[in-house]
Amino acid sequence: MSTTGTGTIDRPVTRDPKKQDPTMNPSFTDTPAPVNSGALEARQNRNLEMQLIPEALARAHMHQRLQEAESERRAHRVATARRMQRRAERASMRARRALAMAVMQ
């Protein structure tokens, strides 16, 4: 027995379109949606998340830098306020001495 073309024992090859097995050549309209479409969507979401990671890291880094800058500004203001307070205390002491000297004369 010689066979022409490719076929199997269960589904032999035939040239007559009326005798062909419909499961061998399904039309595109008969093809159901893939069962794992949820997995494909999850994979696409994961790829999108992976692409957005550098952006999220940059945003977190900028947030941290802004926090550090605000902290430095507060520290600078506190240091300036202490310096001005010491200067005011020295001026107050000079004024007291000057008043005391004026009263003594």
Side-chain angles (χ1 to χ4, degrees), residues 46-66:
R46 186 172 63 233
N47 287 342
L48 179 63
E49 288 172 10
M50 293 291 283
Q51 290 173 355
L52 294 178
I53 284 176
E55 185 178 333
L57 284 173
R59 193 176 298 119
H61 183 68
M62 286 304 296
H63 180 71
Q64 182 181 3
R65 296 282 305 268
L66 287 171

Side-chain angles (χ1 to χ4, degrees), residues 2-84:
S2 70
T3 59
T4 58
T6 57
T8 62
I9 295 175
D10 293 337
R11 294 193 176 108
V13 175
T14 177
R15 301 283 179 226
D16 187 7
K18 292 179 185 173
K19 294 181 181 176
Q20 284 183 353
D21 189 2
T23 60
M24 292 296 284
N25 296 323
S27 66
F28 289 112
T29 56
D30 296 339
T31 307
V35 178
N36 62 352
S37 64
L40 181 62
E41 185 176 329
R43 191 175 312 123
Q44 287 175 343
N45 285 340
R46 186 172 63 233
N47 287 342
L48 179 63
E49 288 172 10
M50 293 291 283
Q51 290 173 355
L52 294 178
I53 284 176
E55 185 178 333
L57 284 173
R59 193 176 298 119
H61 183 68
M62 286 304 296
H63 180 71
Q64 182 181 3
R65 296 282 305 268
L66 287 171
Q67 293 290 333
E68 289 173 2
E70 183 62 31
S71 177
E72 275 187 38
R73 279 193 290 270
R74 268 182 277 170
H76 185 66
R77 277 187 237 131
V78 167
T80 303
R82 285 184 181 159
R83 201 166 36 246
M84 292 177 77

Side-chain angles (χ1 to χ4, degrees), residues 90-105:
R90 284 194 302 267
S92 173
M93 289 300 289
R94 279 196 304 269
R96 282 186 183 178
R97 276 193 217 113
L99 182 62
M101 294 294 276
V103 170
M104 295 282 268
Q105 289 180 350

